Amino acid sequence: MSGRRFLSIGECMVELSQAGDGLLRKGFAGDTFNTAWYARACLGPDWSVDYFTALGDDAMSDEMVAFIDKAGIGTSLIRRVRGRTPGLYMISLKNGERSFSYWRDSSAARSLAADPDRLREAVESADLVYFSGITLAILPQEDATTLLAEIRRAKAAGKLVVFDPNIRPRLWSSYDVMHTTISEGARSSVLVMPSFDDEAAHFGDDSIEATIHRYRALGAANVVVKNGADGVRLNFAGDETFVPAETVETVVDTTSAGDSFNGAFLARYLETQDAPAAARFAASVAARVVSEHGALVAKEKLGLSGR
Ligand code: ADP
């Protein structure tokens, strides 16, 4: 083991989905955790993947830690907060349409940056640091400032800092705070991986070029813009490439398409430094993910040859 570490920072929640006859199925998911899951599935054994979050001291927090651990993702950096519980969301199905209800306002993860020493130790131990707009949105403003300062230190130290804006207006107190904080997240990163739909809707970008230009102008040297079935456009240090999505016969569930793309892309990029090849690989993994139910598709179903 050469001890290289992929660190993902954010919130993993308890997921309740319909299992028929009024029964609910329990799972665990959340954008940054999903990305860690796919990175773990795609990376070789010389990389460890760790999840950084905060959980409570209840049975559900213990179960989540056991689940993360079983996925081969490190849990030793997870902060445990007495008396707190994980966030929860429920997926409802009505005429084939999915809708989501969330109970996350007081989740333990909101205090993930409340212990700055622990946060610093975790970030310093990593070679790649991954976080998202959702990570920033759930934090009290003061803690978001603390996290961003650590992220900037990581960038200055030469680590690969990766940010998915994952814009969720409902999580933010105002559009102003959302725009400012997400822009700050991008400025503090080396690679930004937005979804064009979100950027067009919430930053008013009228083209993928506009999204790339905005994030590069902020100081992110590299940008990968995901655009669903229309593929991705990459700009790495000014070099631009388009990589198409794979054709999917039946799209079953697009949950975590972007998260899986990010995890697979980063895994391959870390090993080859070849961004277009990594994007082609990630498109194949994401195509498998949208062909299956649920956010977390088992490694065996991802078509990873040679791993
Ligand atoms: P997000 O989930 O963040 O909105 P996208 O919808 O852009 O992300 O999807 C991410 C990636 O997943 C795409 O770049 C593509 O590779 C794959 N993907 C998503 N939807 C489809 C689809 N309908 N057919 C094939 N690939 C898809």
Side-chain angles (χ1 to χ4, degrees):
M1 297 272 287
S2 67
R4 288 186 296 169
R5 178 178 271 169
F6 182 121
L7 179 73
S8 183
I9 304 176
E11 176 170 30
C12 184
M13 286 171 287
V14 178
E15 177 196 86
L16 296 179
S17 55
Q18 314 284 330
D21 283 342
L23 295 173
L24 294 169
R25 178 181 294 116
K26 174 168 77 344
F28 300 102
D31 68 331
T32 48
F33 177 69
N34 304 342
T35 295
W37 169 279
Y38 290 103
R40 177 65 287 164
C42 299
L43 275 168
D46 50 333
W47 277 86
S48 63
V49 177
D50 268 79
Y51 197 55
F52 186 88
T53 188
L55 285 169
D57 55 355
D58 61 325
M60 199 50 63
S61 294
D62 291 346
E63 263 192 55
M64 191 184 292
V65 168
F67 177 83
I68 296 172
D69 180 62
K70 196 163 169 241
I73 296 169
T75 57
S76 63
L77 302 170
I78 294 176
R79 178 169 187 249
R80 304 294 289 267
V81 188
R82 190 168 305 196
R84 302 290 285 277
T85 54
L88 176 141
Y89 72 100
M90 191 153 110
I91 306 169
S92 302
L93 260 183
K94 200 173 172 191
N95 307 325
E97 284 289 312
R98 294 150 56 89
S99 64
F100 297 83
S101 306
Y102 291 93
W103 293 265
R104 74 193 306 186
D105 287 355
S106 59
S107 67
R110 293 198 174 245
S111 66
L112 68 82
D115 179 347
D117 292 342
R118 195 182 185 86
L119 177 65
R120 173 160 298 186
E121 195 186 321
V123 171
E124 281 185 345
S125 76
D127 298 278
L128 179 148
V129 181
Y130 180 84
F131 70 118
S132 77
I134 295 178
T135 310
L136 294 173
I138 61 165
L139 301 181
Q141 211 156 340
E142 199 183 296
D143 288 5
T145 304
T146 304
L147 174 61
L148 284 167
E150 285 310 318
I151 295 283
R152 277 194 298 276
R153 275 185 93 240
K155 181 177 180 178
K159 297 177 194 291
L160 180 54
V161 176
V162 186
F163 177 60
D164 184 337
N166 242 332
I167 306 172
R168 300 287 181 274
R170 276 199 308 183
L171 290 176
W172 293 93
S173 57
S174 73
Y175 251 75
D176 254 15
V177 174
M178 180 176 92
H179 281 160
T180 311
T181 315
I182 284 185
S183 298
E184 199 50 44
R187 186 179 286 118
S188 311
S189 301
V190 176
L191 166 60
V192 182
M193 303 187 76
S195 293
F196 181 62
D197 279 358
D198 287 354
E199 305 298 320
H202 306 302
F203 273 97
D205 295 344
D206 58 9
S207 67
I208 289 174
E209 288 309 316
T211 302
I212 290 175
H213 177 76
R214 183 167 49 78
Y215 284 129
R216 280 179 48 81
L218 282 171
N222 313 302
V223 183
V224 176
V225 184
K226 293 161 284 175
N227 194 18
D230 292 331
V232 295
R233 188 164 283 280
L234 295 82
N235 186 313
F236 267 65
D239 277 350
E240 218 157 298
T241 331
F242 169 74
V243 173
E246 291 207 347
T247 306
V248 172
E249 217 161 280
T250 314
V251 175
V252 173
D253 180 357
T254 58
T255 307
S256 106
D259 304 334
S260 64
F261 183 95
N262 292 355
F265 174 87
L266 294 171
R268 192 49 67 94
Y269 180 68
L270 287 170
E271 289 180 343
T272 63
Q273 301 294 306
D274 181 341
R280 286 191 291 276
F281 170 69
S284 75
V285 170
R288 301 266 178 150
V289 170
V290 302
S291 308
E292 303 276 345
H293 281 289
L296 304 177
V297 174
K299 182 177 178 176
E300 298 69 39
K301 292 187 176 170
L302 295 178
L304 309 171
S305 54
R307 289 252 181 254

Coordinates of all heavy atoms in Angstrom, one line a residue, residues 12 28 33 36-37 40 49-51 53 55 61-75 78:
C12 N -24.2 11.7 4.4 CA -24.8 10.5 3.9 C -26.1 10.4 4.8 O -26.1 10.6 6.0 CB -23.9 9.3 4.2 SG -24.6 7.7 3.6
F28 N -28.8 3.7 2.5 CA -28.0 4.9 2.9 C -27.5 5.5 1.6 O -27.0 4.8 0.7 CB -26.9 4.4 3.7 CG -27.3 3.7 5.0 CD1 -27.2 2.4 5.1 CD2 -27.8 4.5 6.1 CE1 -27.6 1.7 6.3 CE2 -28.2 3.8 7.2 CZ -28.1 2.5 7.4
F33 N -21.3 10.7 -0.6 CA -21.1 9.3 -0.3 C -21.2 8.5 -1.6 O -20.4 7.6 -1.8 CB -22.1 8.8 0.8 CG -21.9 7.4 1.0 CD1 -20.7 6.9 1.6 CD2 -22.8 6.4 0.6 CE1 -20.5 5.5 1.8 CE2 -22.6 5.1 0.8 CZ -21.4 4.6 1.4
A36 N -18.0 8.6 -3.4 CA -17.0 7.8 -2.7 C -17.2 6.3 -3.1 O -16.3 5.6 -3.3 CB -17.1 8.0 -1.2
W37 N -18.5 5.9 -3.1 CA -18.9 4.5 -3.4 C -18.3 4.1 -4.8 O -17.7 3.0 -4.9 CB -20.4 4.4 -3.4 CG -21.0 3.1 -3.9 CD1 -21.2 2.8 -5.2 CD2 -21.4 2.0 -3.1 NE1 -21.8 1.5 -5.3 CE2 -22.0 1.0 -4.0 CE3 -21.5 1.7 -1.7 CZ2 -22.5 -0.2 -3.6 CZ3 -22.0 0.5 -1.3 CH2 -22.5 -0.4 -2.2
R40 N -14.6 4.1 -4.9 CA -14.0 2.8 -4.3 C -14.1 1.7 -5.3 O -13.2 0.8 -5.4 CB -14.8 2.6 -3.0 CG -14.4 1.3 -2.3 CD -13.0 1.3 -1.7 NE -12.0 1.1 -2.8 CZ -10.7 1.3 -2.7 NH1 -10.2 1.8 -1.6 NH2 -9.8 1.1 -3.7
V49 N -10.2 5.0 0.2 CA -11.3 6.0 0.1 C -11.9 6.2 1.4 O -12.2 5.2 2.1 CB -12.3 5.5 -0.9 CG1 -13.5 6.5 -1.0 CG2 -11.7 5.3 -2.3
D50 N -11.9 7.4 1.9 CA -12.4 7.7 3.2 C -13.6 8.6 3.1 O -13.6 9.5 2.3 CB -11.4 8.4 4.1 CG -10.6 7.3 4.9 OD1 -9.7 6.7 4.3 OD2 -10.9 7.1 6.1
Y51 N -14.6 8.5 4.0 CA -15.7 9.4 4.1 C -15.6 10.2 5.3 O -15.4 9.7 6.4 CB -17.0 8.6 4.1 CG -18.2 9.6 3.7 CD1 -18.1 10.3 2.5 CD2 -19.3 9.7 4.5 CE1 -19.1 11.2 2.2 CE2 -20.3 10.6 4.2 CZ -20.2 11.3 3.0 OH -21.3 12.1 2.7
T53 N -17.6 12.8 7.6 CA -18.9 13.4 7.9 C -19.1 13.5 9.5 O -18.1 13.2 10.2 CB -20.1 12.6 7.3 OG1 -21.3 13.3 7.5 CG2 -20.2 11.2 8.0
L55 N -21.8 12.0 12.5 CA -23.0 11.1 12.8 C -23.2 11.2 14.3 O -22.4 11.8 15.0 CB -22.7 9.7 12.4 CG -22.7 9.4 10.8 CD1 -22.2 8.1 10.5 CD2 -24.2 9.6 10.3
S61 N -26.9 5.6 13.4 CA -25.6 6.0 13.0 C -24.6 4.9 13.0 O -23.7 4.7 12.1 CB -25.1 7.1 14.0 OG -25.9 8.2 13.9
D62 N -24.7 3.9 14.0 CA -23.9 2.8 14.0 C -24.1 1.9 12.8 O -23.1 1.4 12.2 CB -24.2 1.9 15.2 CG -23.8 2.6 16.6 OD1 -23.0 3.6 16.5 OD2 -24.2 2.1 17.6
E63 N -25.3 1.8 12.4 CA -25.6 1.0 11.2 C -25.0 1.6 9.9 O -24.5 0.9 9.0 CB -27.1 0.9 10.9 CG -27.7 -0.4 11.5 CD -29.2 -0.6 11.0 OE1 -29.4 -0.5 9.8 OE2 -30.1 -0.7 11.8
M64 N -25.1 2.9 9.9 CA -24.5 3.6 8.7 C -23.0 3.4 8.6 O -22.4 3.2 7.6 CB -24.9 5.1 8.7 CG -24.6 5.8 7.4 SD -24.8 7.5 7.3 CE -26.6 7.6 7.4
V65 N -22.3 3.6 9.8 CA -20.9 3.4 9.8 C -20.6 1.9 9.4 O -19.6 1.7 8.6 CB -20.3 3.6 11.2 CG1 -18.9 3.2 11.4 CG2 -20.4 5.1 11.6
A66 N -21.3 1.0 9.8 CA -21.1 -0.4 9.4 C -21.3 -0.6 7.9 O -20.5 -1.3 7.3 CB -22.0 -1.4 10.2
F67 N -22.3 0.1 7.4 CA -22.6 0.0 5.9 C -21.4 0.6 5.1 O -20.9 0.0 4.1 CB -23.9 0.7 5.6 CG -24.2 0.8 4.2 CD1 -24.9 -0.3 3.6 CD2 -23.9 1.9 3.4 CE1 -25.2 -0.3 2.2 CE2 -24.2 1.9 2.1 CZ -24.9 0.8 1.5
I68 N -20.9 1.8 5.6 CA -19.8 2.5 4.9 C -18.6 1.6 4.9 O -17.9 1.4 3.9 CB -19.6 3.8 5.5 CG1 -20.8 4.7 5.3 CG2 -18.3 4.5 4.9 CD1 -20.7 6.1 6.1
D69 N -18.3 1.0 6.1 CA -17.2 0.2 6.3 C -17.2 -1.1 5.4 O -16.3 -1.4 4.8 CB -17.1 -0.2 7.8 CG -15.9 -1.1 8.1 OD1 -14.8 -0.6 7.9 OD2 -16.2 -2.3 8.5
K70 N -18.4 -1.6 5.3 CA -18.6 -2.8 4.5 C -18.4 -2.5 3.0 O -18.0 -3.4 2.2 CB -20.0 -3.4 4.7 CG -20.2 -4.8 4.2 CD -21.4 -5.5 4.8 CE -21.7 -6.8 4.1 NZ -22.9 -6.8 3.4
A71 N -18.6 -1.3 2.6 CA -18.4 -0.9 1.2 C -16.9 -0.7 0.9 O -16.5 -0.3 -0.2 CB -19.1 0.4 0.9
G72 N -16.0 -0.9 2.0 CA -14.6 -0.7 1.8 C -14.2 0.7 1.9 O -13.1 1.1 1.5
I73 N -15.0 1.6 2.5 CA -14.7 3.0 2.6 C -14.4 3.3 4.1 O -15.1 2.8 5.0 CB -16.0 3.8 2.1 CG1 -16.2 3.6 0.6 CG2 -15.8 5.3 2.4 CD1 -17.5 4.1 0.1
G74 N -13.3 4.0 4.3 CA -12.8 4.2 5.6 C -13.8 5.1 6.5 O -14.3 6.1 6.0
T75 N -13.9 4.7 7.7 CA -14.8 5.4 8.6 C -14.1 6.1 9.8 O -14.7 6.7 10.7 CB -15.9 4.5 9.2 OG1 -15.2 3.4 9.9 CG2 -16.8 3.9 8.1
I78 N -14.7 9.8 10.7 CA -16.1 10.2 11.0 C -16.3 10.7 12.4 O -15.9 10.0 13.4 CB -17.1 9.1 10.7 CG1 -17.1 8.8 9.2 CG2 -18.5 9.5 11.2 CD1 -18.0 7.7 8.7

